[in-house]
Amino acid sequence: MTVLLSHLGEFAWGIAFTVGLVVLGWIGAMILGTVLAMMRVSPIRTVRVVAAAYILVFRNVPIPVQMVLFVFGLPLLGIVFPLFPSAAIVLVMYHAAFVCETLRSGLNAVAVGELEASRSLGFGPFGTMRHLVLPQAFAAVVQPMGNVLILLVKNTSVAAVVGVAELTFTADKIAIEEVQAFAVLGGAAVAYVVICLVLKRFVASLERRVAFSK
Amino acid sequence: MKFMKRSKIFASLAVAAVFALGVNGSAVGAEHAGDSAAVKAYPPGTAMAKIQKRGKLIVGVKVDFPLFGLRNPVTGKLEGMDIQLAKGIAKDLTGSADNIQFVEVNSGNREVFLQQHKVDIVIATYPPNPKREKAVDFAGPYLMSPIGTMVNKDNTTIKKVSDLNGKNICVTKGSGSETYVPLNAPKAKLVVFSTMTQCMEALAQRRVDGVTTTQSILLGQMSQNPGKFKLVPTELLNTAGKKASDNDSIGLPKGEKALHDYLDSYLKKIFANGEWKKMYDSTLGTVMPGDVAPPPILY
């Protein structure tokens, strides 16, 4: 316990980096995932195929592999990103695939009759998407989307693989320095649980709100 | 990398298990033959007697440090100074250098492996520091090496310690250099990776300007990639204001006095009879300039 207290500052920075990755990763993944989901249900075949190919690659390659390929592979092509943005980009690309597939199940839940009604009322395809389909789809998938969010929190630890000083990396570093793996990593575990609990509360309140709107 | 590491540990455990079965088989043979081989007997209850009864020595080593402990990708066999030293101890205790089981360790789990007696000793580029000395005991050292910085061959901006200021410098997590670099060059930007391999990769890709660690480790890495890098002898000072060096020692479980004394006496023996020199010359001596005398026993 004293080990944790003497490294409180470092620990706080680790948590800050983890939260930063979660925030950036989640905003990016929601935007990219929504675009991908719309592409998946597009009437144009090429667009559907492109989105399906993206999902095939990014959902099926383990995230540590993607991380290492992005950080140590891309420089071979002459592209070098700093480490923190690299980690954030990989997190966005990986979780966008999951956001997309989660949201798609919501899109499929919207009845065809509603689409027909919207078109006959004069909404174009994008207007229909924006005002009718997406709001209903998002409301239907709040809970499974919360699972993706918690997945993201835990997957930020993979950034440790490429030297980003987030919570897992920091804990590991302190554990090696202090030769006390159990106490330090135990502290990190508690911190992850707290972050997830806070997010779970947020998701639950969102769920109650959409329950009223339905 | 960490995940790869973990899978590597499992793979090597599986290999080690198979290996152990094989060794057990041969250990039976060795025992029969061992009657004639001159092996000193130790009082029952000591770690040495336990190892002799088991018929093999279990050693924690690294497998990704060229010239220290490296799995040869062609033959699959382990090579390096640490490996040779481990085999020497196995031979001294059991009569044959083959009565040995290697377990892969990394910088983060060496203490735990010793504390839980998963290994008898650890020979894995393992210098003592005050916190480690609280968790385990050390014998040796068997090697002392000053600290240096490796840069790309065409680098002209890093020539001395103060040149590290403002540069991106790669160090490995938990290494002495992680402490020494900020102490000597406060404005150096540290990039911390968990393995030396990643630091090398980052240097080759110019993500970092230099890699700082003990010179023997750097020379080992350079031998794997000839012609790409060069070594700058940036002599860092430690917290006491003395020239920092890593004293690679043998780690053993805390409180095993008999084993500690045995290891020190074994080191003294091979320092004196030239066996240490043979081990050194065939590994680190191939890249280290000049003649090196064995280090003094400090622990």
Side-chain angles (χ1 to χ4, degrees):
Chain A
M1 210 54 211
T2 49
V3 181
L4 286 180
L5 289 175
S6 61
H7 288 273
L8 215 54
E10 262 180 284
F11 230 81
W13 270 112
I15 292 174
F17 269 101
T18 290
V19 171
L21 282 173
V22 170
V23 170
L24 287 176
W26 188 244
I27 293 172
M30 281 304 272
I31 295 171
L32 184 57
T34 307
V35 172
L36 282 168
M38 278 155 60
M39 287 168 75
R40 283 281 264 166
V41 297
S42 158
I44 306 161
R45 188 159 182 271
T46 324
V47 175
R48 284 203 307 272
V49 170
V50 169
Y54 179 98
I55 307 272
L56 183 77
V57 173
F58 286 92
R59 194 171 58 159
N60 295 331
V61 176
I63 188 159
V65 178
Q66 289 189 29
M67 200 66 97
V68 171
L69 279 180
F70 192 92
V71 172
F72 292 109
L74 279 191
L76 298 178
L77 307 173
I79 309 165
V80 181
F81 281 104
L83 294 173
F84 183 80
S86 298
I89 291 169
V90 172
L91 286 170
V92 166
M93 294 200 301
Y94 179 81
H95 293 92
F98 286 89
V99 167
C100 163
E101 289 302 274
T102 307
L103 183 57
R104 196 162 66 97
S105 69
L107 293 177
N108 292 338
V110 179
V112 182
E114 292 195 36
L115 292 180
E116 288 165 352
S118 150
R119 295 308 292 274
S120 64
L121 284 170
F123 285 105
F126 284 104
T128 308
M129 227 355 147
R130 205 178 130 213
H131 297 291
L132 178 99
V133 181
L134 282 181
Q136 291 197 68
F138 273 118
V141 296
V142 170
Q143 207 179 17
M145 211 57 108
N147 284 338
V148 179
L149 177 58
I150 284 171
L151 196 69
L152 169 68
V153 173
K154 289 180 292 180
N155 281 342
T156 54
S157 62
V158 176
V161 173
V162 294
V164 174
E166 45 68 76
L167 185 50
T168 301
F169 183 94
T170 310
D172 200 29
K173 183 168 161 274
I174 298 172
I176 293 177
E177 271 172 33
E178 298 288 342
V179 199
Q180 292 209 25
F182 185 76
V184 179
L185 290 173
V190 171
Y192 276 113
V193 170
V194 170
I195 295 174
C196 287
L197 276 180
V198 171
L199 289 173
K200 192 194 147 250
R201 288 297 291 267
F202 166 73
V203 171
S205 74
L206 200 63
E207 221 178 320
R208 275 196 302 278
R209 271 182 54 194
V210 299
F212 278 118
S213 77
K214 262 192 243 173
Chain B
M1 272 307 155
K2 182 184 275 171
F3 285 71
M4 285 171 62
K5 258 256 153 88
R6 202 156 290 165
S7 68
K8 254 202 269 172
I9 290 174
F10 283 127
S12 58
L13 280 179
V15 170
V18 172
F19 192 52
L21 288 176
V23 169
N24 274 342
S26 65
V28 175
E31 240 170 332
H32 292 295
D35 296 337
S36 55
V39 169
K40 194 182 160 199
Y42 291 91
T46 59
M48 291 80 82
K50 252 185 271 169
I51 292 161
Q52 286 177 332
K53 187 152 175 267
R54 189 200 297 135
K56 67 175 186 210
L57 176 72
I58 305 174
V59 190
V61 294
K62 287 187 179 172
V63 301
D64 58 351
F65 271 68
L67 302 179
F68 287 92
L70 180 74
R71 193 176 296 284
N72 183 316
V74 180
T75 62
K77 289 215 171 88
L78 289 165
E79 301 173 342
M81 175 93 188
D82 290 353
I83 307 298
Q84 289 199 17
L85 180 59
K87 284 186 173 164
I89 296 169
K91 178 146 193 249
D92 193 60
L93 277 177
T94 67
S96 164
D98 294 329
N99 292 338
I100 193 163
Q101 179 187 338
F102 291 113
V103 175
E104 184 190 336
V105 298
N106 63 40
S107 299
N109 63 20
R110 290 178 291 205
E111 294 82 17
V112 181
F113 272 55
L114 283 172
Q115 284 166 341
Q116 300 179 349
H117 293 274
K118 291 208 163 71
V119 295
D120 296 318
I121 52 175
V122 164
I123 308 181
T125 63
Y126 197 11
N129 66 29
K131 273 167 188 148
R132 285 175 185 163
E133 279 171 296
K134 264 188 221 155
V136 299
D137 281 347
F138 288 94
Y142 58 93
L143 196 70
M144 282 170 103
S145 176
I147 287 167
T149 299
M150 183 163 52
V151 296
N152 281 305
K153 193 133 211 175
D154 55 9
N155 183 306
T156 53
T157 55
I158 298 180
K159 293 204 178 92
K160 52 185 186 303
V161 182
S162 59
D163 292 338
L164 299 180
N165 282 310
K167 305 287 193 318
N168 288 311
I169 301 299
C170 196
V171 295
T172 51
K173 210 190 278 185
S175 67
S177 306
E178 201 186 345
T179 325
Y180 302 143
V181 172
L183 210 63
N184 291 268
K187 290 204 185 104
K189 287 173 231 148
L190 277 196
V191 176
V192 187
F193 283 123
S194 30
T195 66
M196 197 29 73
T197 321
Q198 288 175 315
C199 274
M200 294 297 297
E201 191 111 28
L203 180 63
Q205 295 170 355
R206 290 162 199 277
R207 193 183 279 284
V208 296
D209 303 302
V211 178
T212 300
T213 185
T214 52
Q215 292 191 12
S216 46
I217 291 175
L218 292 176
L219 287 164
Q221 296 290 344
M222 279 169 72
S223 71
Q224 297 291 103
N225 308 276
K228 280 174 82 178
F229 309 108
K230 64 179 178 190
L231 181 71
V232 184
T234 49
E235 284 176 355
L236 302 178
L237 302 180
N238 62 18
T239 36
K242 296 219 180 75
K243 205 165 103 179
S245 71
D246 275 351
N247 306 331
D248 288 328
S249 303
I250 305 175
L252 62 147
K254 188 103 199 141
E256 293 200 2
K257 178 95 176 62
L259 182 59
H260 173 268
D261 294 347
Y262 160 73
L263 289 169
D264 271 357
S265 71
Y266 173 76
L267 285 176
K268 273 185 205 145
K269 187 171 90 186
I270 64 166
F271 288 172
N273 69 10
E275 252 182 85
W276 180 86
K277 181 113 180 54
K278 244 188 274 168
M279 291 175 186
Y280 181 87
D281 285 346
S282 64
T283 54
L284 291 150
T286 56
V287 294
M288 288 288 257
D291 233 16
V292 174
I297 299 287
L298 298 174
Y299 308 105

